[in-house]
């Protein structure tokens, strides 16, 4: 699905130098590389504060802790997402309130959000799934009207541009009160291990976030908040500092691969190509087709037999996951999510796909469809 080896080979001298300089400095924790990467990412995103942390899941958890959400508070999240979004809500004793997604963009449906708001709702967590932003204008308007926090899960959409209603362009993850990302190796900006970050323009919230990621401590050994230990280590920061310079170039490579896929598949009655949301650019964390009248398991087997990987993101909606079964929900409650979970397929998508590989993937897939 990704080719991190080829990507590394192209930037190997820079990466090796960056990693070696951390090792020789022995500043493994909170070293200069972390501060430098933080400043560069603030600059790239046009956001006042970046708070590095251990991974994207921690980023989400720390946001909810720093915002002071309390057990029993309701937090609205999409039913079609990676489990981490709902997991941290449940872990903190908050109540995940799931809502369905838009069948075209796969992102949380603002109309469904409004219907789910109650007097106990405190926050909305839009997920910018597969690389394009959710409808942040509509979501921010709802949040303002109902006095809610917006925590953007931008783990799959770092670098995506969102055109707000007032004509400004802002990076995904910097529009809500706070945003989160992950530097998991296969993410659009991936390190060589685990990593994550939180974004905010709010000075007071930034101070709280910095405290919570560091044991609730602002002055050493004085703990004003209950916190966690969640750090981006210096070696990962050094890798990310190099890779951030290439992020836009990497996004273009993904977009180019996506266009080639689109060209091969568009108009085919069995394949729905990814929709583009007018307000957001698409950085294609995933290239996801919706199948119509295709045996998905057999298609995956056929692709695999041609040495082509394919994945299902995500095969089981949150409300049907064993650990998240809840008397509030039953099968059929989120028809779009349930239908997508049965019909989506994601193809290889990364920065190193060449024309020959794309040709092999598209022709293998079309051959299966034409002969099924
Ligand atoms: C990857 C991901 C996360 C979690 O990130 P980790 O760094 O793996 O903890 C959370 N939400 C979404 C949507 C993701 O894709």
């Amino acid at each position: 699905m990704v080719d991190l080896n080829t990507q590394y080979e192209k930037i190997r001298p820079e990466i090796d130098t960056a990693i070696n300089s951390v090792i020789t400095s022995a500043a493994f924790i909170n070293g200069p590389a972390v501060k430098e990467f933080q400043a560069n990412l603030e600059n790239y995103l046009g956001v006042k504060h970046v708070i590095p942390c251990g991974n994207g899941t921690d980023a989400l958890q720390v946001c909810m802790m720093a915002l002071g959400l309390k057990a029993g508070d309701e937090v609205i999240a999409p039913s079609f997402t990676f489990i981490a979004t709902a997991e941290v809500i449940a872990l903190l004793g908050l109540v995940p309130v799931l809502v369905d997604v838009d069948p075209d963009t796969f992102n949380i449906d603002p109309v469904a959000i409004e219907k789910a708001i109650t007097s106990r709702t405190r926050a909305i967590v839009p997920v910018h799934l597969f690389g394009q932003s959710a409808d942040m204008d509509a979501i921010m308007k709802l949040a303002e009207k109902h006095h809610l926090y917006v925590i953007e899960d931008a783990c799959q959409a770092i670098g995506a541009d969102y055109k707000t209603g007032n004509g400004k362009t802002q990076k995904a993850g910097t529009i809500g009160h706070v945003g989160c990302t992950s530097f998991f190796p296969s993410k659009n900006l991936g390190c060589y291990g685990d990593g994550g970050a939180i974004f905010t323009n709010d000075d007071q919230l930034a101070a709280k976030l910095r405290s919570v990621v560091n044991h609730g401590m602002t002055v050493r050994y004085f703990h004003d908040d209950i916190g966690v230990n969640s750090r981006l280590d210096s070696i990962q920061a050094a890798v990310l500092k190099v890779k951030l310079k290439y992020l836009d170039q990497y996004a273009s490579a993904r977009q180019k691969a996506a266009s080639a896929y689109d060209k091969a598949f568009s108009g085919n009655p069995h394949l729905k190509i990814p929709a583009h949301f007018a307000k957001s650019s698409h950085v294609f964390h995933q290239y996801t087709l919706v199948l119509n009248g295709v045996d998905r398991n057999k298609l995956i087997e056929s692709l695999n037999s041609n040495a082509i990987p394919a994945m299902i993101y995500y095969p089981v909606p949150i409300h049907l996951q064993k650990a998240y079964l809840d008397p509030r929900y039953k099968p059929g409650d989120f028809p779009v999510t349930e239908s997508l979970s049965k019909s989506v397929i994601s193809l290889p998508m990364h920065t190193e796909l060449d024309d020959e590989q794309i040709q092999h993937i598209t022709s293998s897939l079309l051959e299966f469809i034409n002969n099924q």
Side-chain angles (χ1 to χ4, degrees):
M1 294 297 285
V2 296
D3 182 357
L4 297 172
N5 286 95
T6 309
Q7 190 192 62
Y8 167 59
E9 285 306 327
K10 291 182 182 165
I11 52 173
R12 186 173 191 152
E14 272 186 285
I15 291 278
D16 290 1
T17 304
I19 291 175
N20 278 322
S21 77
V22 175
I23 296 173
T24 48
S25 76
F28 296 114
I29 302 291
N30 291 331
V34 180
K35 298 278 174 305
E36 285 159 24
F37 169 63
Q38 177 188 314
N40 293 358
L41 188 57
E42 285 166 352
N43 188 42
Y44 174 84
L45 294 171
V47 73
K48 228 165 146 189
H49 304 281
V50 164
I51 297 94
C53 65
N55 56 67
T57 309
D58 280 0
L60 287 161
Q61 179 181 333
V62 165
C63 288
M64 292 174 201
M65 292 171 73
L67 288 169
L69 304 189
K70 293 278 176 327
D73 287 348
E74 292 180 2
V75 178
I76 293 175
S79 41
F80 190 60
T81 178
F82 179 55
I83 198 68
T85 319
E87 182 178 52
V88 297
I89 300 172
L91 194 66
L92 293 173
L94 312 172
V95 181
V97 173
L98 302 173
V99 307
D100 214 344
V101 296
D102 178 273
D104 296 320
T105 63
F106 313 133
N107 277 327
I108 193 163
D109 175 0
V111 176
I113 294 177
E114 183 146 40
K115 289 193 187 131
I117 293 172
T118 74
S119 58
R120 289 176 303 280
T121 309
R122 295 290 308 281
I124 306 168
V125 188
V127 179
H128 307 316
L129 203 70
F130 301 152
Q132 69 184 340
S133 176
D135 188 347
M136 289 304 293
D137 286 329
I139 292 166
M140 294 311 290
K141 206 182 277 177
L142 284 175
E144 204 171 310
K145 180 169 156 200
H146 297 275
H147 309 289
L148 308 174
Y149 293 119
V150 175
I151 303 165
E152 296 179 72
D153 181 340
C155 289
Q156 301 189 2
I158 193 161
D161 285 314
Y162 183 83
K163 281 195 263 337
T164 60
N166 56 20
K168 267 203 321 193
T169 296
Q170 279 174 272
K171 290 288 184 194
T174 69
I175 301 157
H177 300 92
V178 64
C180 299
T181 206
S182 163
F183 305 124
F184 186 80
S186 63
K187 296 282 156 92
N188 287 38
L189 179 59
C191 59
Y192 294 168
D194 275 309
I198 305 165
F199 324 133
T200 187
N201 285 307
D202 179 329
D203 297 340
Q204 232 175 323
L205 180 59
K208 198 71 156 177
L209 290 161
R210 283 189 211 291
S211 163
V212 172
V213 294
N214 186 30
H215 301 292
M217 176 166 81
T218 39
V219 177
R220 190 169 276 201
Y221 306 128
F222 289 79
H223 304 275
D224 295 344
D225 303 300
I226 294 180
V228 296
N229 171 25
S230 185
R231 294 185 281 245
L232 179 69
D233 75 67
S234 305
I235 289 184
Q236 300 309 336
V239 169
L240 289 165
K241 205 183 127 202
V242 173
K243 288 184 70 176
L244 178 59
K245 293 191 289 178
Y246 299 96
L247 183 58
D248 286 344
Q249 196 178 311
Y250 288 160
S252 304
R254 288 171 178 274
Q255 286 157 351
K256 183 164 168 264
S259 310
Y261 281 146
D262 280 353
K263 193 158 164 246
F265 301 141
S266 77
N268 190 304
H270 297 289
L271 304 171
K272 185 176 162 200
I273 62 174
H276 288 247
F277 178 44
K279 293 180 193 168
S280 175
S281 67
H282 200 323
V283 293
F284 287 99
H285 176 58
Q286 299 298 342
Y287 183 89
T288 302
L289 294 165
V290 182
L291 302 174
N292 175 23
V294 178
D295 185 325
R296 185 170 65 174
N297 289 334
K298 288 215 176 96
L299 169 60
I300 292 173
E301 259 173 54
S302 159
L303 291 170
N304 290 169
S305 72
N306 287 304
I308 299 164
M311 293 290 286
I312 299 165
Y313 305 115
Y314 295 93
V316 182
I318 307 286
H319 68 294
L320 303 179
Q321 294 283 359
K322 195 169 155 197
Y324 293 81
L325 293 176
D326 185 311
R328 290 176 300 150
Y329 300 123
K330 58 182 188 311
D333 281 354
F334 304 105
V336 177
T337 293
E338 290 171 42
S339 157
L340 290 174
S341 68
K342 294 187 188 97
S343 58
V344 288
I345 184 171
S346 296
L347 299 181
M349 173 48 75
H350 53 84
T351 58
E352 310 304 317
L353 281 166
D354 61 30
D355 294 347
E356 203 179 317
Q357 288 169 318
I358 297 214
Q359 170 65 27
H360 176 58
I361 296 164
T362 55
S363 60
S364 303
L365 192 149
L366 289 171
E367 192 183 295
F368 175 88
I369 297 217
N370 295 334
N371 295 331
Q372 66 172 350

